[in-house]
Amino acid sequence: MKTLVIVESPAKGKKIQDYLGEGYKVKASFGHIRDLPAKKEEVPAKYAAEPWARLGIDVQNGFQPLYVVPADKKKNVAELRSLAQEADRVLLATDGDREGEAIAWHLVKALGLKDNFERMVFHEITREAIQKAVTNTRPLDYALVGAQESRRILDRLCGYGVSPALWQSIGPSLSAGRVQSAALASLARRELARMNHVPADYWRITAQISPNEGCEPFNAVVVSIKGQALVGPKDYGSDGQLKADTTSLMLTQEQAKQIVDFIKGRGVTVSGVETAPFSTKPPAPFTTSTLQQAASKALKMGPKKTMDVAQKLYEGGKITYMRTDSPALSDEATQAARAVAAALFGPASVPASPRQFKAKGNAQEAHEAIRPAGKNFVAPDQTGLVEDELALYELIYRRTVASQMIDLQGNKTVLHLKSGAVGLQSSGRVITELGFTRLYADDSDKKDEQPLPNVSEGAALAAPDAKAELRKTPAPGRFTEATLIKALESAGVGRPATYANIIEVLKNRGYTALVEGKMYVTWLGLLVAAYLAEQFPSLVDLAFTVKMEEDLDRIAAGQMKREEYLTAFWTEGLEQTIAGAKHEAPAVALSQFGVVVTARHEQVVMLKDGKSVPLNLDIVPDSLTAEKVEQIMSGRPVSRASSPKSKGGKKPKAKGRKKPPTTLELPEGGV
DNA sequence: CAGTGAGCGAGCTTCCGCTTGACTT
């Protein structure tokens, strides 16, 4: 054996072995092989007494990290080491991103490589790409490794630095971190906005309009009276009061009824017609984040389940790698997608030149999009897959092929109507070309689909029916697991390998849970978020990661020193904030009920007039009513309201956690 | 004198990101 090639994923290794053939041995690292010690028992005895042993970073001494090989990686590392000793040279073919560069460097250290190693990078797994990569190796990029180490150290300092403040202020085993705390804060802001939301009324008046010549009737909405707009949701603040600067008209019930009768009696005339062609491009091929969103919507599959199923498809050679932030297709995939579309819907269903998709933001693009594997896509019914795997494969297949199809096209029409001083409007559209929606469509492609008749200005139309509904302004909607991931991704927080995991952490800590498929924040989550927002405002700021990424880019470009950056962040910043943080429980005041929710003796409690009662975390915060508060304060059990089918038997328990904290009532506490 | 129980103190919890199986719910 001459050359040892080390990749991150064993499934990837197998294919590359095929392409490289004899003379090469391809093995997998299985991700990272060394890390900071997770707990004290991982710290080697000679360092155990050091003051920095708990952090695993000698902050006084240039932020020197202590790396160990975790127990479950030892066997693999030993095997790689002996293979490396027999090899003439070692190609470090880990992923072409910051983490991959760091894994390569850790391999150099852990395997004791001297100077017989080179870095090999590729972005797609085809025979050509691999053979080219083997002959175009480069040296290790130590500045990029330094950026990754900075990221790792910063995350450790945030997480292990701030979490103890939560133990001292609220309860044991709680956690904080750059990613999870930003996510929790986003959820908590939304939850509080819902709790503080005061619904306000507005009238929505609609009319059914009947065109003269035997056409289908269509719907129109009243938008103005004597040119003055009607009050709608936009005119109210979150306090339920009309905004001071609104010029809109609020109707009384009497007036609304009069308008209904007026329209019915009088009919409408067409006062304007606007018609314009529209076209909608197909969505880009899947990244991890968009796959999770689509699977959630179309298949009702949560992010974790989606990733488990995708992993199976990947290992079975059905799809490309499922942890990616790039929507780009390789040339072979682009051709395959076009060929499928042309075969299914004819050559006119694909545009003359292939579509290209590029990632935006801080994507690292080490892989291509998630798509059917190979240079010829296997049709879903030919895969032999069943159930979840089939459903997810088909979703990926359709989305990939659709991305290379022509636009959805049609004409959008807005009719302006008048009934005396009452102004109405109706919009609709006519599809002239289904385009990619023949293969892949979601609800957003189906808006305003009513066809409108071909009428011209001045035409008089009957209004056989009209009605007025009193509506209430809706509270801001909750996040689903998938929409939270979308929000995090667009803020640059988290990575494809961690999106699903972020959600699991929030659930396992008891910070969030699901009601009717939506994420809500528990009382515990609200307290943690409140404490962090007060004592560690930068940690709950979504923009923090963006700033960090900019600094890491500077370190990777050699424009900033690692130690300088970490000194500014820790020694001159967070370390002092931690030292100055108050160790007292935060409080969420519910002034409308005259109670306060806080923590006492490591329990979440509700306080009223000096009396404190433990609070069950199953009670959804925004489901509280005065009666419920009464019931809680009198010590009677309260069931959680808005979920009719609460699953009593299911216990989402932390994986690595031996025993959940018993002093805090976590959601699984039941009873 | 032996068994019990209150009280006290020590030790532990925790991060993000990269990968799969090994688990015990």
Side-chain angles (χ1 to χ4, degrees), chain A residues 13 16 34 94 98 100 112 131 152 200 207 276-277 283 312 353 371 384 399 452 454 479 496 513 526 551 579:
Chain A
I16 293 170
R34 298 201 308 179
T94 48
R98 194 166 65 210
Q131 277 162 358
R152 180 68 189 91
K312 290 260 161 56
S353 57
R371 59 156 176 106
R399 173 93 161 211
L452 293 180
N454 201 356
F479 288 101
L526 290 176
D551 290 330

Side-chain angles (χ1 to χ4, degrees), chain A residues 191-192 194-196 523 526-527 587-598 604-608 615 619-626 628-629 632-633:
Chain A
E191 197 73 35
L192 291 173
R194 289 173 58 83
M195 290 166 71
N196 293 329
W523 296 106
L526 290 176
L527 290 181
V588 177
L590 303 169
S591 51
Q592 66 272 42
F593 304 124
V595 296
V596 167
V597 175
T598 183
V604 178
V605 297
M606 183 177 272
L607 285 182
K608 187 178 190 176
L615 191 51
I619 299 168
V620 181
D622 83 345
S623 76
L624 271 196
T625 57
K628 260 196 183 175
V629 168
I632 292 164
M633 292 309 301

Side-chain angles (χ1 to χ4, degrees), chain A residues 234-260:
Chain A
K234 286 192 293 275
D235 297 300
Y236 286 106
S238 58
D239 56 358
Q241 300 297 310
L242 277 178
K243 287 179 186 165
D245 61 351
T246 186
T247 55
S248 304
L249 175 68
M250 182 64 202
L251 301 174
T252 62
Q253 180 165 13
E254 190 68 13
Q255 289 169 322
K257 197 165 172 302
Q258 279 173 11
I259 292 168
V260 166

Side-chain angles (χ1 to χ4, degrees), chain A residues 345 349 405-409 433-439:
Chain A
F345 305 110
S349 66
M405 292 177 65
I406 57 174
D407 292 354
L408 169 70
Q409 290 168 51
E433 168 55 59
L434 280 168
F436 70 90
T437 64
R438 282 192 269 192
L439 205 52

Side-chain angles (χ1 to χ4, degrees), chain A residues 6 8 29 31-36 65 67 92-111 113 117 119-121 138-153 364 556 562:
Chain A
I6 304 177
E8 292 183 39
S29 75
H32 273 289
I33 54 151
R34 298 201 308 179
D35 194 10
L36 300 171
Y67 290 120
L92 303 166
T94 48
D95 293 352
D97 56 18
R98 194 166 65 210
E99 296 294 328
E101 202 72 18
I103 294 173
W105 175 76
H106 279 297
L107 284 166
V108 170
K109 293 291 173 185
L111 307 188
L113 304 183
F117 62 87
R119 184 79 168 94
M120 167 177 163
V121 175
R138 62 164 172 81
L140 203 59
D141 182 344
Y142 289 94
L144 189 54
V145 173
Q148 190 277 345
E149 282 198 283
S150 305
R151 197 280 305 155
R152 180 68 189 91
I153 291 168
Q364 306 199 10
R562 194 193 79 161

Side-chain angles (χ1 to χ4, degrees), chain A residues 429-476:
Chain A
R429 57 181 208 176
V430 177
I431 306 293
T432 55
E433 168 55 59
L434 280 168
F436 70 90
T437 64
R438 282 192 269 192
L439 205 52
Y440 186 94
D442 63 28
D443 305 339
S444 61
D445 300 320
K446 297 198 167 147
K447 297 190 288 241
D448 288 340
E449 243 169 35
Q450 65 173 340
L452 293 180
N454 201 356
V455 291
S456 47
E457 212 168 314
L461 309 173
D465 197 16
K467 62 178 191 246
E469 296 168 86
L470 186 62
R471 292 202 173 181
K472 292 200 182 299
T473 54

Side-chain angles (χ1 to χ4, degrees), chain A residues 203-256:
Chain A
W203 287 97
R204 181 182 156 92
I205 304 173
T206 52
Q208 195 183 55
I209 311 293
S210 202
N212 298 337
E213 309 98 40
C215 290
E216 287 290 303
F218 62 94
N219 295 313
V221 182
V222 173
V223 294
S224 64
I225 308 292
K226 290 185 191 155
Q228 188 179 9
L230 295 188
V231 163
K234 286 192 293 275
D235 297 300
Y236 286 106
S238 58
D239 56 358
Q241 300 297 310
L242 277 178
K243 287 179 186 165
D245 61 351
T246 186
T247 55
S248 304
L249 175 68
M250 182 64 202
L251 301 174
T252 62
Q253 180 165 13
E254 190 68 13
Q255 289 169 322

